[in-house]
Amino acid sequence: MVDVLPLVEARLSTALGEPDARAAVTFLGTDRIEVLRFHEEGVVRYATLGMSAQPMADPTAMLADPVKGPRAELVLSVRAGLADTDKALRALAVLAASPQVEGVVVVPGASLDVGGPLWPGAPFTSVLVGEPGGLVEDLELDAPMDPVRFLPLLPMTPNEAAWKRVHGAQALQERWLTNGTDLRDPARTSVPLD
């Protein structure tokens, strides 16, 4: 069985440059999750490392397949210097551990709630999981393993999260696009939802 994490870290470094900081969090009964920080021209990116060590298992399956199944890491991008976004590290580690802890399969279009502000003073308490393949290309692994997908996280205000539950992820993304919402702005307000 191949250790995918060195390959994942190499893919992140190829796409985002060398990380300038890293933090590790271990939750009882789970594997260690690291969060790497990358700076690039006024944008700070946080990427999880460890979520893809095991495939995400369907919570209804009797046994989790140790080889086959979707694998992912999470990437959050915000404008640098506008908020204390480094405090988001723990929230990101919690989200990355959720497949192991709660048995969820994280897929594009899903909402992930962090149970409080994403970082101190943040107007966001949840994130929308975006489509992979834009910022960091999928990492193909040897068959029968599924590729590792790098899923962008789009912060949502509580009002946006509630609106998304009713209207769906696509409708919220269209609303953001129509209004020219800067999803990297750590202090942005909710998009108009009327």
Side-chain angles (χ1 to χ4, degrees):
M1 189 101 144
V2 64
D3 181 3
V4 301
L5 296 185
L7 302 173
V8 170
E9 186 168 359
R11 174 58 54 95
L12 286 167
S13 295
T14 299
L16 305 176
E18 287 302 313
D20 66 355
R22 68 175 60 218
V25 180
T26 304
F27 302 100
L28 188 63
T30 67
D31 295 330
R32 177 174 130 136
I33 302 287
E34 287 189 85
V35 179
L36 310 182
R37 184 181 69 190
F38 303 86
H39 273 98
E40 176 194 336
E41 298 175 23
V43 174
V44 61
R45 302 186 198 283
Y46 303 95
T48 63
L49 179 63
M51 183 176 169
S52 62
Q54 304 294 327
M56 292 181 275
D58 180 345
T60 62
M62 292 296 277
L63 288 173
D65 189 318
V67 178
K68 293 178 72 177
R71 294 174 188 259
E73 295 291 352
L74 307 174
V75 181
L76 173 68
S77 300
V78 292
R79 299 226 176 272
L82 302 176
D84 190 9
T85 56
D86 280 355
K87 297 284 194 314
L89 299 177
R90 182 159 181 80
L92 291 173
V94 168
L95 296 178
S98 63
Q100 289 182 58
V101 175
E102 300 171 22
V104 298
V105 178
V106 179
V107 295
S111 298
L112 302 175
D113 195 300
V114 295
L118 198 49
W119 55 82
F124 317 108
T125 57
S126 61
V127 293
L128 175 65
V129 180
E131 292 291 333
L135 188 61
V136 183
E137 287 183 35
D138 291 353
L139 173 63
E140 296 294 332
L141 300 173
D142 294 336
M145 293 191 290
D146 290 19
V148 176
R149 302 170 84 196
F150 297 89
L151 303 172
L153 299 180
L154 311 172
M156 293 189 293
T157 65
N159 286 345
E160 289 170 338
W163 196 86
K164 182 254 177 195
R165 280 192 293 278
V166 173
H167 301 280
Q170 186 65 38
L172 178 59
Q173 289 177 309
E174 287 171 9
R175 184 63 60 114
W176 283 335
L177 193 59
T178 301
N179 287 276
T181 305
D182 181 1
L183 296 174
R184 293 179 181 168
D185 181 353
R188 75 172 180 84
T189 56
S190 183
V191 71
L193 297 170
D194 48 357

